[in-house]
Amino acid sequence: MILTVTMNPAYDMTYRVERFERGQAHRVRSVEQRIGGKGINVTRVLNQLGKYARATGFSDHAFAAAAELEMPVDFVHALPWVRRTVVISESRDGTATALWEPGARVSNPHAAEQLAIRVSGLLPDINGLVVSGSLPGGIDPGLPAELARSAVAAGVPTICDVDGEALRLAAEVPGVILMPNTGELECLSGRTPSTPEEVVAAARPLIDRGVRAVVATRGAKGMIAVTADGAWVATLPEPLAGNPTGAGDSAAAAVIAALSTRAEPDWAAILTDAVATAAAAVVIPVAGEIDRCLRTRLAPTVRIDKLAAPESEETTP
């Protein structure tokens, strides 16, 4: 089983219109609402990849009940209400505009402790953990790092796909896997990487401090994986247009699915599959879904190149 943690879930709303124009009234062609949040999206994609996954985190009673109708869940009921995210999808060219509400403040003073105990109790039964998304008010940014530290100590492959201070603290956990986007990697490293070589140079100090792998997601520019053994860049021949919301979650699902087998990781193959899976999510208007046939067709077309890894900054004179 793979466990996902979503601390700030959401109801995902998708409005489909022909063309979105600022300041104008629009006739919405269709509306779709579903439970969401980054970890929820990862869970959905894992199930589509044939992996059994369970979702935990914080929620209110109504959200937990709705989630239970779709997937195995074990939420801590700590939120007074669950936020919404709205995506306006344009049918003319697939362009998506997203509006994200802030999350509610956690009302249960023991919520963090309860979640940590819940995750700890499941560690003997899981072979992968993904902690992803933002944190609601009232939760210490060190909680994702705490969960990751306990999971890594138990030998469980662990991805932290978080941001801000939570990401900085997670980067201090030896053995964790990070999946930052370009802006997050810039905040972590204090650099502004643009080329693949600069991304590797920005990620290398994190590896030197004990991070197992940095998988940098770069949108249409593909992904770069940096580990102690090397660095690889994977790209598609041409980027796909569509809704990028959930593409990173699909990539995280592909990475943890591969690592959960406990085989020696082939990072070139993992990165290839992650790029194909993310692209297969972009063409779907809603987050947490992939076009599995497209994923299969795209995988052989992904270009993978090994990058020259710079020397460790700790040994560079």
Side-chain angles (χ1 to χ4, degrees), residues 8-9 79-84 100-106 134-137:
N8 201 13
L79 295 174
W81 49 268
V82 170
R83 67 191 176 119
R84 292 171 298 178
W100 297 343
E101 293 182 0
R105 188 175 184 84
V106 167
S134 59
L135 274 60

Side-chain angles (χ1 to χ4, degrees), residues 303-314:
R303 176 175 175 174
I304 187 83
D305 294 301
K306 187 162 187 179
L307 299 168
E311 292 184 20
S312 167
E313 293 191 355
E314 295 180 359

Side-chain angles (χ1 to χ4, degrees), residues 1 11 29 72 86 96 100 110 112 117 119 131 135 137 146 155 188 190 225 233 268 270 282-283 297 299:
M1 180 177 70
Y11 292 104
R29 290 189 167 187
V86 177
W100 297 343
H110 306 292
I117 292 173
V119 172
V131 183
L135 274 60
E146 178 186 344
L188 269 180
V233 57
I270 292 173
V282 168
V283 299
R297 294 199 304 271

